[in-house]
Amino acid sequence: MKSNNYNSPKENLLRKKAEEQLKKLQDKPGKPLSEADSLKLLHELQVHQIELEMMNEELRLARDKAETNEEKYAELYDFAPFGYLTLMPDATISELNLSAARLLGTERSVLINRNFNYFLYSDSKPVFDDFLRKVFENNEKASCELMLRTEDHTMMYVYLEGKNIENSESCLLTMIEITERRKAEKALTYTSEALKRSNAELEQFAYAVSHDLQEPLRMISGYIKFLEDNLRGTLDYKTSKYMDYIVDGSKRMFTLIKDLLAYSRVASQKEETVPADLNNVIEEVLKDLKLSIDDTKAEIKADKLPVVRANPALMRQLFQNLIANAIKFRGKENPVIYITFERKAGNLVFCVRDNGIGINPEFSERIFMIFQRLHEREKYPGTGIGLALCKKIVENHGGKIWIESEEGKGAAFYFTLPEE
C-alpha cells in the first residue's frame, strides 16, 4: 500500500486549534494547570485524535478506491476491442494499448517511439498524411480507411479515427480492423456486377427471342387465316373445332410474345426519363380504354396528380395495366376506380383502388411474378405478365409496388415514386 503524508485542511485546522488552546493555558502567568483543566485538555486532545484517525481512514479508503479504479481503467484501455494510440505530429507513437500492439503484430515496448508510417503501404501514405493534417492543422475530428502491413508483413485494412488532444502536441487515434468487412464488400460488389450482367443478358435474350418469334408467328397466323377463309363450310365439325383451337392458340401466342417484348424493353427505357405530367398520362390511358370503360359502365375518379421525373411511355403502361385489371376483375356492380396520391417520407405514394372481386391476401406477392395467374384463362383472359410488368416499371423508377385486398372486397394497388 502506498504511504500518504497528505493532511487535509480540516485536519490542519483541528491541530491548530489544539495547539492554540494548549499555548493559551501555558501562557497564564504564575498559575499552573489545575487538574480539571488538564483533564479537559486531555479529553479535547483525545477527541481531536479520534477525528484525525477517522479522517485518515477516509483518506486511506479514498486512495484505495482511486488505485482500484486506476487499475480497472488501465485494463479497459489495454484490452479494449479497438486499438488506441497517441501520435505526435510527425506520426511517432508515444503511447498505445495492448490491442493496438496486437493489431500491429509486435510488443508494445517495441512500438513506443516507432513511426506509424512504417506500417503504411505507399498507396496509403497520401491518405494518412491528409488525415494527420486535418487532425493537427485544422484541429478537427477526422477519419479514414487504410491498408496497413503488420510487423510480419500481413496485409490488413483498418479504419482510423483521430482527434487532437486539447493543450497537447499529440492526438488520440482509434484503430479498428475492417479486413473482413472489406472482403465482404468486394465479394458483394462482384456478385452484384455479375447479377447485373446476367440480368442484362437475360433481358437481351428475351427481347431477341420475342422479336424473332413474331415473324414466323405472323406467317403461321396468315396461313391459318387463309385456310379458314377458303375452307370454311367444307370442313366437318371436328376439323372446324381444331381450326378454331389453332386460331385461338396463335392469337394467344402473339399476345404473349407482344407482352414479353414489352417486359424485356422496360430495362432499356428506364433511363429515358423526363418531367411527366401524370394527369396527361391518365387522360391518354382513358382514351385507350374507352371501349371497355363504356362496355362495363366503369367510373374512374382521379385526383389531380403531380408531375414526376419518369418515362412517360412506361407510366402509361403502368396505369393502363392497373386500370384495365380493375375493369377486368370487376364484381357484380359496375366498376368504380379511384386514383389517388399522397406525399410521404420523400416519396409520392399512388393508389389505384377498385370495388372488384379482390384476392386472397396469401397471393399478394405471387400476383407480381411473371406468368402467374389466379384465375382460369377462359373466365379472365390474359398472359400473366401485366402485374409483373408493373412491378418492373415501378422498381426501375426507384419505387416499390404492393397490393392490399380481401376476396370480395375490392383491391388497392399502391406504388411509390421518388419525389424530386
Side-chain angles (χ1 to χ4, degrees), residues 165-182:
I165 300 174
E166 192 173 353
N167 300 322
S168 170
E169 292 185 356
S170 59
C171 77
L172 181 62
L173 195 71
T174 303
M175 181 168 64
I176 305 170
E177 184 180 5
I178 57 170
T179 305
E180 293 303 316
R181 193 200 81 187
R182 290 292 290 266

Side-chain angles (χ1 to χ4, degrees), residues 39-285:
L39 289 174
K40 181 181 178 183
L41 179 60
L42 180 62
H43 175 71
E44 288 180 356
L45 288 173
Q46 287 174 339
V47 170
H48 294 331
Q49 178 66 26
I50 292 170
E51 288 179 345
L52 287 173
E53 288 175 355
M54 290 175 63
M55 284 190 293
N56 279 334
E57 179 64 16
E58 289 175 1
L59 287 170
R60 185 186 66 78
L61 292 174
R63 183 195 62 204
D64 290 347
K65 185 176 180 181
E67 288 176 354
T68 302
N69 286 338
E70 184 179 353
E71 291 173 1
K72 181 171 67 175
Y73 290 128
E75 287 182 0
L76 288 173
Y77 172 77
D78 274 334
F79 299 106
F82 313 131
Y84 292 120
L85 305 95
T86 304
L87 296 189
M88 306 305 289
D90 64 352
T92 298
I93 301 171
S94 62
E95 184 56 69
L96 74 161
N97 67 349
L98 293 177
S99 297
R102 177 182 55 79
L103 286 173
L104 295 175
T106 189
E107 298 294 327
R108 172 159 59 183
S109 58
V110 175
L111 292 166
I112 299 295
N113 295 325
R114 193 91 163 267
N115 198 290
F116 193 81
N117 283 290
Y118 171 81
F119 300 99
L120 295 178
Y121 285 95
S122 57
D123 291 346
S124 296
K125 194 169 186 323
V127 179
F128 183 67
D129 289 344
D130 184 60
F131 166 79
L132 280 187
R133 181 185 56 77
K134 289 178 180 177
V135 172
F136 284 107
E137 295 181 18
N138 298 352
N139 197 27
E140 63 183 62
K141 188 175 181 180
S143 63
C144 67
E145 292 184 6
L146 298 172
M147 186 169 65
L148 302 183
R149 60 167 175 262
T150 63
E151 189 74 12
D152 62 359
H153 295 281
T154 301
M155 186 275 291
M156 72 172 177
Y157 287 97
V158 295
Y159 169 81
L160 300 182
E161 187 171 285
K163 185 179 181 182
N164 198 1
I165 300 174
E166 192 173 353
N167 300 322
S168 170
E169 292 185 356
S170 59
C171 77
L172 181 62
L173 195 71
T174 303
M175 181 168 64
I176 305 170
E177 184 180 5
I178 57 170
T179 305
E180 293 303 316
R181 193 200 81 187
R182 290 292 290 266
K183 287 180 180 178
E185 287 175 351
K186 188 174 181 180
L188 182 62
T189 300
Y190 175 81
T191 303
S192 178
E193 289 175 353
L195 186 60
K196 285 179 182 178
R197 287 194 301 271
S198 177
N199 284 340
E201 289 169 1
L202 284 172
E203 287 167 354
Q204 189 176 4
F205 174 76
Y207 178 83
V209 169
S210 302
H211 185 271
D212 293 345
L213 280 176
Q214 286 188 89
E215 192 55 40
L217 188 60
R218 282 195 189 96
M219 185 179 293
I220 293 171
S221 299
Y223 279 110
I224 291 172
K225 187 72 169 63
F226 174 79
L227 290 173
E228 187 180 31
D229 291 342
N230 283 275
L231 299 177
R232 186 170 298 280
T234 64
L235 302 175
D236 58 38
Y237 174 79
K238 195 173 184 180
T239 306
S240 295
K241 196 70 175 173
Y242 290 156
M243 185 70 74
D244 290 340
Y245 288 152
I246 294 171
V247 171
D248 182 60
S250 66
K251 286 179 180 177
R252 283 192 289 108
M253 179 63 79
F254 194 81
T255 303
L256 179 63
I257 290 173
K258 185 183 71 174
D259 289 349
L260 189 59
L261 192 59
Y263 183 82
S264 65
R265 279 175 174 164
V266 170
S268 62
Q269 291 178 292
K270 66 181 179 181
E271 302 297 337
E272 303 167 9
T273 59
V274 296
D277 188 337
L278 295 184
N279 299 290
N280 296 337
V281 170
I282 295 295
E283 188 178 334
E284 294 298 320
V285 168

